[in-house]
Amino acid sequence: MPDVTLTTLQELKQKGEKIAMLTAYDATFAQAASQAGADVLLVGDSLGMVLQGHDSTLPVSVADMAYHTAAVKRGNQGALIIADLPFMAYATLEQTFANSAALMQAGAHMVKLEGAAWLAEPIRLLAERGIPVCAHLGLTPQAVNILGGYKVQGRQEAQARQLRADAMALEQAGAAMLLLECVPSELAAEITQSVKIPVIGIGAGSATDGQVLVMHDMLGLSLTGRAPKFVKNFMEGQPSIQAAMAAYVKAVKDVTFPAAEHGFSA
Ligand code: KIV
């Protein structure tokens, strides 16, 4: 068992203490991030972009995810590990079971799926079989071709209503955590209040129960040279990567990150 469990995260939410999450894709950075105090390491399918150089997460395979999850597990020092099920790895229930099992056997403690209320059935069935699920709502990068780009979600009232309903439905189905990406800060605050499970935000304001950033972004590294609005470069003024990661964790815990300028309005 990791030192940080689902119970720890629930307790942090109840106490109003923030959860710090960072992506990690290999043993060395997993060790650095967990030693810097990250509660959760996310083996994100963002690895398709930041490690593999693709322009989306769609080319990432389950084998890629299992390989990187196993590496993260070897370096991890007590954080909870979440691994992304990549594009089309949960298109059917059979695929969902087999691919979730592969990631759990590689070292994940939870899997993350992108979607909406249609995830209720797979989430319920996975939870019944001992696999906790984080449901990723809002901007879901695997659906970039449906969404028409990497855009803020939930700005229109109908979209916001749908997001609120999806969050409730997925909590009821048994989701252990929600992740909200690029949604207006006020809407994210409302959703966080309305569910009992921890809600992690990225580009979702400071009122969520925790924050996540892609490690490369918070270290100021970018293949495109353009950082999204919700990113802060924590390397600035820091002597080392370890210190930058510790500064990120502290800023999340102190609620000095994200600042208003990192969020989106409705
Ligand atoms: O793949 C990933 O790293 C993610 C984060 C951006 C939340 O899903």
Side-chain angles (χ1 to χ4, degrees):
M1 285 301 286
D3 296 342
V4 177
T5 64
L6 265 179
T7 310
T8 320
L9 301 180
Q10 283 285 0
E11 285 169 0
L12 288 175
K13 174 167 179 131
Q14 276 154 20
K15 288 191 277 187
E17 289 175 26
K18 298 288 182 182
I19 298 164
M21 185 189 303
L22 257 182
T23 67
Y25 314 100
D26 69 18
T28 305
F29 284 102
Q31 184 182 65
S34 52
Q35 284 180 343
D39 303 297
V40 184
L41 301 179
L42 170 64
V43 189
D45 62 355
S46 52
L47 68 85
M49 298 171 88
V50 297
L51 298 192
Q52 298 174 338
H54 297 296
D55 61 1
S56 80
T57 58
L58 273 59
V60 177
S61 67
V62 175
D64 292 335
M65 293 307 303
Y67 173 88
H68 287 282
T69 301
V72 165
K73 178 194 163 65
R74 287 179 214 118
N76 179 34
Q77 305 285 314
L80 185 110
I81 299 173
I82 303 179
D84 268 340
L85 276 176
F87 180 62
M88 292 305 276
Y90 44 108
T92 67
L93 284 179
E94 287 71 20
Q95 287 175 326
T96 309
F97 293 151
N99 294 329
S100 300
L103 297 186
M104 297 296 283
Q105 286 171 343
H109 305 112
M110 187 187 298
V111 296
K112 176 162 79 62
L113 283 71
E114 296 181 10
W118 64 271
L119 290 176
E121 190 188 17
I123 286 174
R124 184 176 56 77
L125 293 173
L126 286 173
E128 283 171 2
R129 285 155 180 76
I131 300 185
V133 179
C134 173
H136 183 152
L137 297 172
L139 171 54
T140 48
Q142 292 171 17
V144 63
N145 292 300
I146 294 276
L147 300 176
Y150 298 99
K151 296 177 182 163
V152 179
Q153 302 295 309
R155 277 191 155 140
Q156 290 85 29
E157 185 42 41
Q159 261 190 354
R161 210 177 311 119
Q162 189 61 54
L163 269 173
R164 287 187 206 102
D166 290 342
M168 302 289 282
L170 297 182
E171 177 182 43
Q172 270 186 5
M177 183 184 279
L178 295 179
L179 189 147
L180 296 178
E181 178 164 356
C182 290
V183 303
S185 304
E186 232 175 85
L187 175 60
E190 255 183 71
I191 292 174
T192 304
Q193 288 288 317
S194 71
V195 296
K196 292 198 177 64
I197 54 178
V199 178
I200 307 298
I202 175 165
S206 61
T208 52
D209 301 309
Q211 299 292 326
V212 61
L213 279 181
V214 169
M215 181 193 74
H216 294 63
D217 287 344
M218 59 79 61
L219 294 177
L221 296 169
S222 162
L223 282 171
T224 62
R226 277 175 285 110
K229 174 180 158 73
F230 54 78
V231 166
K232 178 172 172 182
N233 176 359
F234 283 89
M235 261 322 276
E236 270 171 16
Q238 297 297 339
S240 66
I241 286 173
Q242 186 78 30
M245 287 176 166
Y248 164 75
V249 170
K250 182 172 185 314
V252 170
K253 300 274 180 191
D254 292 351
V255 207
T256 53
F257 175 79
E261 80 227 37
H262 301 116
F264 299 101
S265 56

